[in-house]
Amino acid sequence: MFHKILIANRGEIALRILRTCREMGIRTVVAHSQADTDSLPVRLADESICIGPAEARASYLNIPSIISAASITDSEAIHPGYGLLSENAAFAEICRACGITFIGPSPEAIRLMGDKAQAREMAKQAGAPVVPGSTGPLEGVDEAQALADTMGYPVVVKAASGGGGRGMRVVRSREMLARAFATCQSEAAQAFGSSELYLEKFVEEARHVEVQVLGDRNGIRVHLGERDCSVQRRHQKLLEESPASAISEATREGLCKAALAVANAVNYVSAGTVEFLVERSGEFYFIEMNTRIQVEHPVTEMVTGIDLVREQVRIAAGEPLGYKQSAIRASGHAIECRINAEDPEHFVPSPGTVTAWLPPGGHGVRVDSHMMPGASVPPYYDSLIAKIIVHGRDRAEAIARMQRALAETVVEGVKTTIPFHQKLLADPVFVSGEYALPRLEVGL
Ligand code: MV4
């Protein structure tokens, strides 16, 4: 097992990883930017090292600086967390070349699943249902036009190197396609360095349901159930829950079977998430696979009792998972609310200093947060300041518990999305569990 792990991330996930490492008796080094010198993860780590100025490009995305930090501190492994370099295949390759264990999947798996057009083909070959669409990347707008005419509108043009909603455009009529195609091409080239696009039939008002998978180095792979992440705003997840309340047992089994088939097809190692769209009919389609631990992983931890970060570290150290699918039991219902330092009406970031902080507590309440009185919320990074996760025997109890937890949370000095969540959890459509992705009015 590792003696020391460098955490190449910040905020709540850095603290989350640090906590599990401490329980495992592993020393931690938190690599931080100048903006995070006084942050809670830095205070609680065994060691800390500054990797650059506030701007992420010069610090948290600065590969030479992070590799040097691992080397200087004699860290045997690096945990990338989520976002930042967590799905950067080149970074994983450089770690391998420098003899530093990257706590995550292989560079090959990251690269393959990072190409969403290739991932679709892999999923198809693995037997997972995919949305009707192009086979691999589109040759050009003529191929897109012919395919869309065959499938019918609406369709969605997606960047092969996009993902998470980035570089995708819904097209509702034939006249809009050529322009959407050209716009996506140039945006993709600019944002991702590749203008490759693919096309899919647009699935209206589906749910966004994802399956958590874990794979060890001996080819043992298990799923840990699903998470419903349909409550989103502009591709930003706001609330996640498990189990998904409006899917049948048959659909659940189908999703988990398909997720394992995709993970097995790429010989997946570490924690990963296979994303699907689920229609009201129960039909489901693979859309992409995320090769990192996700923000919403605590929802799965609360219903299964499995510490996913601990499993990632054990797997990276070459340990066997040690249990089979039959040993995994999900119980109860978990909900996570992402608390962002944003204006609750318009979701505009509200950086500043937290002058008062009182997190919720009590039975079935978990708070993953790096906040403390006096903590700064810098403008350089995402605005997530806390995740409140609750567990109840059923969805109604979880909703009531979350309402109570939100009501007792005190955050002063910055605006937060707490009022948004309080309204959402009282909304009859949400409480009914029958909500679906909003019908998209995505223009050019
Ligand atoms: C789709 C889709 C409907 N039809 N693909 C969004 C990000 C990435 N996970 C894939 N996403 C979607 N792909 C087809 N063929 C709906 C989504 C989607 C979504 C789209 C727009 C706005 C919010 C969304 C939330 C979840 C999923």
Side-chain angles (χ1 to χ4, degrees):
M1 182 46 78
F2 308 116
H3 293 101
K4 194 187 286 186
I5 289 176
L6 182 133
I7 300 168
N9 212 306
R10 64 178 300 280
E12 67 87 15
I13 192 62
L15 187 52
R16 165 77 189 82
I17 295 162
L18 184 157
R19 284 171 164 157
T20 288
C21 289
R22 180 142 298 150
E23 290 173 7
M24 297 175 77
I26 301 170
R27 287 178 61 81
T28 54
V29 179
V30 165
H32 64 90
S33 74
Q34 287 166 351
D36 289 327
T37 306
D38 300 328
S39 68
L40 189 54
V42 169
R43 292 191 190 191
L44 294 184
D46 295 299
E47 298 173 44
S48 64
I49 181 165
C50 183
I51 48 173
E55 195 194 353
R57 198 169 47 78
S59 47
Y60 295 110
L61 296 173
N62 183 337
I63 294 177
S65 184
I66 292 168
I67 296 291
S68 305
S71 164
I72 292 166
T73 58
D74 292 325
S75 299
E76 295 131 297
I78 293 177
H79 197 306
Y82 51 64
L84 297 171
L85 294 171
S86 62
E87 295 185 291
N88 185 314
F91 177 61
E93 252 161 10
I94 291 167
C95 289
R96 180 193 274 174
C98 297
I100 300 167
T101 301
F102 176 83
I103 298 176
S106 67
E108 294 73 25
I110 296 173
R111 188 165 285 116
L112 173 63
M113 289 305 178
D115 178 334
K116 305 303 178 189
Q118 255 200 350
R120 212 177 108 81
E121 294 312 306
M122 279 303 295
K124 212 186 293 181
Q125 284 157 28
V130 296
V131 186
S134 59
T135 303
L138 292 161
E139 290 297 315
V141 65
D142 295 345
E143 183 189 353
Q145 198 78 65
L147 188 53
D149 289 347
T150 313
M151 293 195 301
Y153 289 85
V155 296
V156 53
V157 180
K158 293 184 174 180
S161 301
R166 291 168 306 140
M168 66 180 264
R169 250 184 178 65
V170 180
V171 183
R172 293 194 178 275
S173 68
R174 197 176 198 285
E175 301 68 41
M176 306 281 278
L177 183 61
R179 194 169 141 212
F181 187 91
T183 308
C184 278
Q185 245 182 349
S186 59
E187 282 176 357
Q190 230 252 313
F192 315 118
S194 155
S195 60
E196 274 197 354
L197 303 176
Y198 62 105
L199 188 76
E200 290 180 341
K201 183 84 181 104
F202 184 70
V203 179
E204 298 273 15
E205 295 190 354
R207 300 183 82 109
H208 181 131
V209 180
E210 58 190 30
V211 176
Q212 181 69 58
V213 296
L214 266 180
D216 70 9
R217 292 194 183 289
N218 317 316
I220 304 294
R221 233 154 263 113
V222 294
H223 72 78
L224 280 76
E226 84 281 357
R227 297 185 290 260
D228 189 324
C229 306
S230 302
V231 177
Q232 304 194 16
R233 178 180 182 273
R234 293 187 183 165
H235 302 296
Q236 291 304 317
K237 295 169 183 168
L238 300 169
L239 174 148
E240 304 93 352
E241 60 181 309
S242 181
S245 55
I247 64 171
S248 68
E249 199 45 44
T251 299
R252 175 169 291 113
E253 276 166 33
L255 286 164
C256 294
K257 184 165 173 269
L260 277 178
V262 173
N264 286 329
V266 293
N267 198 15
Y268 195 78
V269 172
S270 193
T273 299
V274 187
E275 278 190 20
F276 298 91
L277 290 173
V278 183
E279 292 197 286
R280 289 185 196 286
S281 62
E283 289 281 305
F284 60 87
Y285 309 96
F286 167 91
I287 36 176
E288 57 192 69
M289 180 175 191
N290 301 316
T291 56
R292 66 180 189 271
I293 188 109
Q294 298 207 235
V295 172
E296 60 268 28
H297 77 274
V299 161
T300 300
E301 295 185 324
M302 295 285 264
V303 295
T304 63
I306 293 172
D307 178 333
L308 287 168
V309 171
R310 179 176 179 275
E311 300 306 78
Q312 281 191 296
V313 173
R314 292 180 57 242
I315 286 165
E319 289 188 11
L321 213 46
Y323 47 83
K324 292 198 181 71
Q325 188 68 55
S326 52
I328 298 169
R329 283 270 176 289
S331 77
H333 198 101
I335 299 174
E336 174 184 87
C337 284
R338 298 190 190 196
I339 310 303
N340 293 329
E342 292 172 354
D343 172 279
E345 295 292 313
H346 310 292
F347 297 88
V348 172
S350 164
T353 301
V354 170
T355 51
W357 167 251
L358 180 67
H363 180 60
V365 177
R366 163 176 165 177
V367 180
D368 280 19
S369 177
H370 56 302
M371 285 300 106
M372 56 186 172
S376 94
V377 180
Y380 313 104
Y381 316 111
D382 68 45
S383 57
L384 182 69
I385 57 171
K387 293 166 358 190
I388 299 177
I389 309 105
V390 301
H391 181 270
R393 286 166 300 178
D394 56 29
R395 190 169 188 264
E397 184 175 278
I399 289 175
R401 186 156 288 152
M402 182 62 87
Q403 283 285 29
R404 188 267 299 166
L406 290 166
E408 74 182 56
T409 305
V410 175
V411 189
E412 289 171 10
V414 295
K415 289 180 191 164
T416 75
T417 50
I418 289 174
F420 164 83
H421 287 296
Q422 289 175 308
K423 270 191 225 143
L424 172 69
L425 286 155
D427 182 310
V429 172
F430 175 79
V431 172
S432 75
E434 290 310 316
Y435 58 95
L437 286 178
R439 181 184 155 80
L440 275 191
E441 293 309 330
V442 181
L444 290 180

